[in-house]
Amino acid sequence: MTITLAIEGSGFTSRTHDEVHYFDHSLFLIDEHGVIQSVLEPDDERYDTEKTQARESGNYRAIAEGSYLLPGFIDLHVHAPQWAQDGTGLDEPLEVWLGKYTFPTESKFADETFAHKVYGDLVGRMLSTGTTTAAYYATVHRKGSFVLAQEANRLGQRALVGKVVMDDPAANPDYYRDASAQSAIEETERFINDVAELNRHSVQGVYPVITPRFIPSCTDEALRGLGELAEKYKTYAYIQTHCSESDWEHGYAYERYGHSDTHMLCEFGLFTSRSILAHSVYPSEEDMRVFAQTGAIAVHCPLSNAFFAGAVAPIRRYLAAGMHVAMGSDISGGYNPDLYGAIRQAVTSSRMLETGVNRDMAAGERGVMDSALTLNNAFYLATAGGGESLGLPIGRLEAGYAWDAQVVDTTFPSARLPIFESNEPASDIFQKILNLAVPENIRTVWVQGREVVSK
Ligand code: GUN
Ligand code: FE
């Protein structure tokens, strides 16, 4: 083991859902694989010698006063092609929005040159706002989807990438769907193998994801076939789909099968510890038990839930039930491409859920008790919670974890945060960063020890 990077700095990392640890001039020793070997505090006897040694070998770097280290963010729900329409078209319900805006946009990714342009731009943007790991839906096109995996790998982002499956001719337009269930399954398997090969040459990891868009766009034959692939490739492929996203989508599964989509995804072999379920706004008690028992991940996408679900997912109940919960931007159902936005929205939405929004009801009658998320809770979901639920050593600045980190400069001239006193409590600085930081504040980002953003 060789130390190739030693970073001295102050910052924040989650200990538990409620507790954020502030570290003060810790020395992070990072090895040639980009993994944190040890974290030394200033009173550690090895601190000075390790620092001197790193300085002499040219590996030492000090984070400036006023700048803080945070773990890189983990965004587990992103529709990469929708970056091309981000910020527009949220005037329709989900089922209309898909046909009116989204399928026309996604169909353009048959053109790999266009895919290259959009995907490179998005990955760069996400890295520069601190997102070091992302789970992406690409499009139905296998080759265009592979371009996304290549771009993430080239730019150094840890990425989970899926070729989208939507094969049902009754549910999808002829200009944008898989030719048949069989070809959807074959193309998915080829994609898995292509990405697995790319991953062999990757430092930070690029993982294939089996991606039925959601039950309403797939035939039973495709869902069954993808479930078989999930079993065959269970050691390295993930699974992702939308689950219980809106009243319409939630009701759809009941109408088609007489069961919830959670139940049906289980039946098809698509609900495992490697399943990443976007939204999950309306699970029943039984569905929640299935989540907890399988270890599947509910991805909280609070901004897009405001538009498509018109509801707030009761995250505290999910956590109390033992469910894995992570955070997602849901570009472009949620227009904010960075997880600072999702963290803020998670807190805001949860407050609305707790206090209720209807002024005509008496106090005490509105809202759902014990729903509010703190900034600490939301930060956990965007970092440690994401890592834990993926089963990867990411999301914490601790020994044994990947050096995925971002530097937030609170003194950057055009984006100075309101910190005026030298003895400002660390917890206040943390809250100011999460609530007020803008992209300019994020100056440096590493993924697996590699510096991928340096502004
Ligand atoms: N459900 C099926 N497809 C989509 C999509 O592209 N975005 C969102 N938010 N929900 C979906
Ligand atoms: Fe989505």
Side-chain angles (χ1 to χ4, degrees):
M1 183 266 296
T2 325
I3 297 305
T4 53
L5 189 59
I7 297 197
E8 180 189 337
S10 304
F12 305 91
T13 187
S14 282
R15 282 270 160 83
T16 66
H17 278 280
D18 292 311
E19 189 199 341
V20 172
H21 170 62
Y22 168 64
F23 51 87
D24 190 359
H25 290 85
S26 289
L27 185 66
F28 292 86
L29 301 177
I30 298 142
D31 71 16
E32 72 271 33
H33 304 296
V35 175
I36 303 168
Q37 278 301 327
S38 34
V39 186
L40 305 179
E41 304 309 322
D43 59 2
D44 192 293
E45 54 183 22
R46 287 168 58 210
Y47 190 91
D48 289 330
T49 43
E50 291 287 354
K51 189 162 144 179
T52 307
Q53 205 176 325
R55 249 205 196 109
E56 283 166 1
S57 50
N59 295 329
Y60 172 76
R61 173 126 169 230
I63 304 303
E65 297 301 318
S67 287
Y68 296 87
L69 289 161
L70 301 182
F73 289 147
I74 300 169
D75 185 344
L76 290 193
H77 189 54
V78 185
H79 294 271
Q82 295 174 24
W83 180 231
Q85 68 179 29
D86 200 51
T88 68
L90 288 171
D91 55 331
E92 301 281 8
L94 171 64
E95 60 278 23
V96 178
W97 174 83
L98 286 170
K100 184 168 166 185
Y101 301 112
T102 300
F103 295 159
T105 298
E106 293 191 11
S107 70
K108 295 178 191 163
F109 289 74
D111 175 353
E112 285 153 52
T113 308
F114 185 63
H116 207 270
K117 188 158 89 180
V118 177
Y119 291 155
D121 191 70
L122 173 62
V123 173
R125 170 66 176 255
M126 290 176 68
L127 282 172
S128 77
T129 49
T131 297
T132 48
T133 295
Y136 291 111
Y137 289 55
T139 60
V140 295
H141 319 100
R142 175 176 51 78
K143 286 186 182 163
S145 302
F146 191 62
V147 169
L148 174 55
Q150 286 174 308
E151 280 301 280
N153 196 42
R154 182 177 70 81
L155 295 166
Q157 189 183 43
R158 181 178 294 95
L160 293 73
V161 184
K163 171 224 150 352
V164 172
V165 169
M166 37 193 287
D167 70 309
D168 188 345
N172 303 296
D174 288 344
Y175 70 85
Y176 185 58
R177 63 175 164 82
D178 292 284
S180 65
Q182 199 190 344
S183 82
I185 296 159
E186 284 168 7
E187 291 287 275
T188 297
E189 183 158 24
R190 246 182 109 177
F191 182 76
I192 291 170
N193 288 313
D194 289 348
V195 176
E197 179 57 28
L198 184 66
N199 187 48
R200 274 188 265 285
H201 309 287
S202 164
V203 174
Q204 80 288 357
V206 203
Y207 305 92
V209 190
I210 294 165
T211 307
R213 182 169 207 122
F214 61 165
I215 283 180
S217 57
C218 298
T219 60
D220 287 5
E221 187 186 350
L223 293 167
R224 208 171 296 116
L226 294 179
E228 283 162 15
L229 289 183
E231 174 61 23
K232 182 169 173 186
Y233 294 101
K234 66 181 171 194
T235 55
Y236 58 89
Y238 286 89
I239 303 159
Q240 64 185 349
T241 191
H242 295 84
C243 181
S244 191
E245 177 177 4
S246 68
D247 283 321
W248 166 75
E249 194 271 343
H250 187 65
Y252 175 94
Y254 279 101
E255 228 164 80
R256 177 158 148 191
Y257 300 108
H259 294 287
S260 69
D261 49 9
T262 298
H263 178 94
M264 290 314 298
L265 290 166
C266 284
E267 292 283 302
F268 288 118
L270 291 165
F271 211 95
T272 76
S273 63
R274 300 178 73 86
S275 297
I276 304 167
L277 287 317
H279 308 286
S280 306
V281 182
Y282 304 109
S284 65
E285 294 293 328
E286 176 55 24
D287 291 339
M288 285 166 59
R289 262 193 296 280
V290 172
F291 264 96
Q293 276 162 11
T294 55
I297 310 163
V299 186
H300 187 35
C301 306
L303 183 55
S304 99
N305 290 348
F307 287 101
F308 292 148
V312 182
I315 299 303
R316 293 195 77 88
R317 280 184 56 206
Y318 298 175
L319 295 173
M323 288 168 59
H324 279 307
V325 184
M327 195 74 95
S329 61
D330 193 19
I331 290 169
S332 66
Y335 48 75
N336 201 323
D338 65 63
L339 280 194
Y340 285 91
I343 287 169
R344 291 165 198 164
Q345 187 66 44
V347 172
T348 311
S349 289
S350 75
R351 297 298 287 262
M352 308 284 254
L353 181 60
E354 172 141 336
T355 54
V357 290
N358 188 345
R359 71 189 170 92
D360 295 332
M361 294 173 80
E365 281 178 13
R366 5 176 240 218
V368 182
M369 295 260 289
D370 300 324
S371 299
L373 294 172
T374 62
L375 276 173
N376 287 13
N377 298 152
F379 178 67
Y380 187 95
L381 302 182
T383 57
E388 224 162 62
S389 48
L390 289 174
L392 296 173
I394 57 174
R396 295 177 192 259
L397 300 180
E398 279 179 20
Y401 283 74
W403 182 250
D404 290 7
Q406 51 180 320
V407 174
V408 184
D409 180 358
T410 63
T411 68
F412 192 71
S414 65
R416 188 180 289 277
L417 300 191
I419 299 167
F420 298 105
E421 294 175 275
S422 57
N423 61 349
E424 177 113 8
S427 62
D428 286 0
I429 294 174
F430 175 71
Q431 293 175 58
K432 287 177 180 179
I433 288 173
L434 287 192
N435 277 327
L436 299 176
V438 293
E440 288 72 28
N441 295 108
I442 301 157
R443 308 307 303 169
T444 311
V445 178
W446 295 266
V447 182
Q448 201 82 39
R450 173 179 165 199
E451 193 168 327
V452 292
V453 173
S454 179
K455 295 183 189 166

